[in-house]
Amino acid sequence: MGSSTGAVRRSMRFHRPIVIAIGLVVAVLVGGLVPSWWCGRDADAWFRGDPVRVRGLAEELVAFEADDDHQRATGASGELTDMWGILAHQMTALGLAQVCLDHPEWRERYAPIVTRAAAKTLLPEMRSTFTAAWHGEDGMAVPESPRGHAYLSYAALALGMARLVDPAFPPDLATRQDALIASYERRLLASPTALLDTLPGEAYPTDVAAVAAAIAVHGRATGADHGAVLAHWARQVRAVQIDRGSGLVWQRMGVDGQSHDAPRASGTGLAAYFAGFADRTLAQELATGFFRQQRSLLGFGAIHEYGPGYDGPGDIDSGPVILGISVSATSFGLASARSLGYRDDFTRLFRTADLAGLPLRSGSRLRFATAGVIGNALLLAFLTSGPELAR
């Protein structure tokens, strides 16, 4: 009996390291696979444009616009002003307009809200910082100015998408958009580099991509032929605005084509989304450089902000940069991944967005709890970006 018991004990001592090793392997597998599975469980549904999820997030932004309307009706200035206000209302307009294009049966509900959101981007308080930076020159009031005022492209694009989907788009807004587009077309054709300044002495290729998107959508909405200016813009993006080594656009430049910053992923990701409205081939080229910046771990994807050989901090464009990874660029990549059909890239980036954003459902509404209004507006636009936008 004693001999038998000793043999069992020796056997247990021999097998214990194996059992521990197996346990560690199982723990690693569970720790690695379960989070990626959990955070990616909705990725395929979003990639396919699942109506329940799309409508849930759309309704969250409808509620934001309704609350903003209420504040303005009671004498407040609305929830957001300046660039944050432009971005929130513009991306709400773009996202809801894309939903209308994908689901024509919802157009009656969402199209009027697209127009209301787009119209708010023209409010003076949305551009007061830019007007001050231009020493009091209001870009909307001086359409013949030689200055770029490229920040107004965000409003111009939102208005174009509203015009595209809303049969009741107001004539006065159409007139204002026509004037803005004509001004941009003239300025772009006059610029050898196809760069327009957003601030004095500072041009952002991303903002100019939004200019091109606004011009392209205006053509779709009105039938106007903008082929010459869009071809000029695309040529100069390739010739001047892209860093040949990385395939990323320079974040900031002078209108003379000199770089003022590094080639960076956040600007490239957003530029690729905007380029998709105007030139599908160029959008794919920008996306190629962008996705070279992707880093993956345990099924999660994230985008490294700076091109090879460059480094720097985070800022308003990139959001926080942690170990080189840009929070903003990671979410921007969802748009190109979906519109260009990059399913695997979309899934990896979505897992990260899901983990960081904490999606919550309340009744018929869906929101990403940590994203705030601007984050939810951006995600609606990026998660509904479709191939029909990339011409």
Side-chain angles (χ1 to χ4, degrees):
M1 183 70 176
S3 174
S4 175
T5 300
V8 169
R9 288 175 176 169
R10 286 193 297 273
S11 177
M12 289 178 64
R13 285 196 299 271
F14 176 77
H15 288 294
R16 185 175 295 127
I18 298 176
V19 172
I20 292 172
I22 292 173
L24 289 173
V25 170
V26 170
V28 169
L29 288 173
V30 170
L33 296 177
V34 170
S36 65
W37 167 79
W38 179 258
C39 293
R41 67 199 184 283
D42 289 339
D44 186 63
W46 275 110
F47 191 82
R48 290 183 289 101
D50 174 66
V52 174
R53 290 166 178 81
V54 169
R55 188 149 200 176
L57 187 53
E59 289 297 323
E60 178 69 18
L61 275 303
V62 168
F64 156 64
E65 291 295 345
D67 186 58
D68 187 82
D69 290 342
H70 175 73
Q71 289 191 42
R72 294 180 188 283
T74 57
S77 61
E79 289 192 26
L80 297 164
T81 58
D82 276 321
M83 192 59 201
W84 295 123
I86 291 177
L87 196 60
H89 294 298
Q90 182 224 20
M91 288 295 174
T92 296
L94 296 188
L96 291 176
Q98 290 166 186
V99 170
C100 289
L101 291 172
D102 202 34
H103 296 276
E105 69 277 13
W106 296 347
R107 185 171 301 199
E108 184 176 355
R109 170 157 177 75
Y110 293 135
I113 303 167
V114 174
T115 297
R116 292 211 311 272
K120 291 174 188 175
T121 64
L122 292 177
L123 293 170
E125 62 263 30
M126 299 298 174
R127 56 184 186 273
S128 57
T129 297
F130 296 101
T131 300
W134 282 106
H135 310 292
E137 180 175 283
D138 181 349
M140 282 301 300
V142 286
E144 298 306 315
S145 171
R147 298 180 174 92
H149 293 288
Y151 59 90
L152 288 171
S153 60
Y154 291 79
L157 177 55
L159 290 167
M161 290 296 281
R163 195 169 182 174
L164 191 63
V165 302
D166 187 0
F169 189 75
D172 64 313
L173 285 181
T175 299
R176 297 180 75 181
Q177 195 217 9
D178 288 341
L180 193 51
I181 294 299
S183 177
Y184 277 142
E185 186 164 26
R186 174 180 55 78
R187 291 168 183 165
L188 267 184
L189 287 171
S191 171
T193 60
L195 285 164
L196 302 179
D197 37 11
T198 291
L199 298 169
E202 294 285 356
Y204 297 79
T206 302
D207 292 351
V208 185
V211 170
I215 292 172
V217 172
H218 179 268
R220 291 178 62 186
T222 66
D225 181 4
H226 298 302
V229 67
L230 293 174
H232 170 64
W233 164 75
R235 281 193 303 269
Q236 295 310 311
V237 171
R238 294 183 174 101
V240 177
Q241 301 175 28
I242 297 176
D243 170 50
R244 297 187 185 279
S246 65
L248 302 175
V249 296
W250 299 99
Q251 195 83 348
R252 292 182 298 119
M253 306 184 75
V255 292
D256 58 359
Q258 294 300 308
S259 61
H260 293 178
D261 197 348
R264 291 168 54 182
S266 56
T268 306
L270 194 53
Y273 169 61
F274 290 140
F277 291 87
D279 187 318
R280 181 179 178 85
T281 302
L282 180 55
Q284 288 177 315
E285 292 172 21
L286 293 173
T288 297
F290 176 84
F291 281 110
R292 290 195 195 112
Q293 297 293 109
Q294 186 175 185
R295 309 290 186 266
S296 299
L297 179 66
L298 300 175
F300 291 85
I303 303 297
H304 197 276
E305 172 66 3
Y306 285 86
Y310 294 88
D311 196 9
D315 58 19
I316 191 172
D317 298 319
S318 65
V321 171
I322 304 168
L323 299 177
I325 297 298
S326 165
V327 173
S328 296
T330 299
S331 64
F332 295 166
L334 290 166
S336 291
R338 185 173 190 272
S339 66
L340 298 173
Y342 302 166
R343 183 184 291 271
D344 291 343
D345 293 306
F346 180 89
T347 299
R348 285 190 290 268
L349 295 180
F350 181 85
R351 287 175 180 142
T352 304
D354 184 274
L355 178 66
L358 298 177
L360 294 176
R361 181 171 290 278
S362 176
S364 63
R365 287 160 52 182
L366 171 69
R367 65 186 175 91
F368 289 81
T370 63
V373 168
I374 296 172
N376 280 294
L378 287 164
L379 285 169
L380 178 65
F382 299 153
L383 289 169
T384 59
S385 177
E388 74 280 354
L389 298 176
R391 296 300 185 187

